[in-house]
Amino acid sequence: MTSQSQGIQQLLQAEKRAKDKLEEAKKRKGKRLKQAKEEAMAEIDHYRLQREKEFRHKQTNVMGSQGNLSAKIEEQTTETIRTLTGSYHKNVEGVLKKLLNTIYDISPEIHPNFRYDI
């Protein structure tokens, strides 16, 4: 009987060792999955940063030239406004005199299409 109980004890111990190994394997698998997920996230972040850097570089190339154009347009607009203001101040009096002369100098005439029928 003792040999049977020793055999049962050995089987129980073997079963316990197998269960322990299985638990260890599950823990290792969980750790490895977590590590793989972290590595994947790091790789994704690295790729995202690289693509954003490339995008910013291209955007700077395109927008940089637009920024210069914007400054040139602003300068041209200011110059045009300055020119038009000067022209206005120079010609306003003459235009007003012509307008007032046209209004005040009325010469009454009969319209060419007017017919007086008796």
Side-chain angles (χ1 to χ4, degrees):
M1 270 247 217
T2 51
S3 68
Q4 277 186 340
S5 67
Q6 279 182 343
I8 292 174
Q9 287 296 326
Q10 286 178 347
L11 284 175
L12 289 174
Q13 286 176 354
E15 187 179 341
K16 186 174 190 253
R17 283 193 307 267
K19 189 185 257 185
D20 289 341
K21 284 186 178 187
L22 186 63
E23 288 296 320
E24 280 183 47
K26 284 183 181 180
K27 286 180 185 179
R28 279 195 311 259
K29 181 181 176 185
K31 285 181 183 179
R32 182 62 189 130
L33 284 173
K34 186 176 178 181
Q35 182 182 5
K37 185 177 180 181
E38 290 172 357
E39 288 173 1
M41 291 302 291
E43 190 174 330
I44 289 170
D45 288 341
H46 176 71
Y47 180 74
R48 181 181 299 129
L49 289 174
Q50 180 184 1
R51 297 298 289 177
E52 285 177 1
K53 184 178 176 183
E54 289 174 12
F55 174 74
R56 278 191 232 109
H57 180 67
K58 288 180 182 178
Q59 187 178 27
T60 303
N61 288 343
V62 172
M63 297 300 280
S65 61
Q66 286 182 354
N68 294 342
L69 289 176
S70 176
K72 287 179 183 178
I73 290 171
E74 185 71 30
E75 185 179 313
Q76 288 174 351
T77 303
T78 305
E79 184 61 33
T80 305
I81 290 172
R82 197 176 310 126
T83 304
L84 290 175
T85 304
S87 177
Y88 166 78
H89 289 298
K90 186 172 89 174
N91 297 320
V92 69
E93 215 170 297
V95 171
L96 282 177
K97 281 182 184 178
K98 284 183 182 179
L99 182 64
L100 289 175
N101 285 339
T102 304
I103 292 172
Y104 290 143
D105 291 339
I106 299 175
S107 56
E109 299 174 358
I110 295 179
H111 195 272
N113 292 337
F114 178 75
R115 279 195 255 161
Y116 184 73
D117 291 332
I118 299 187

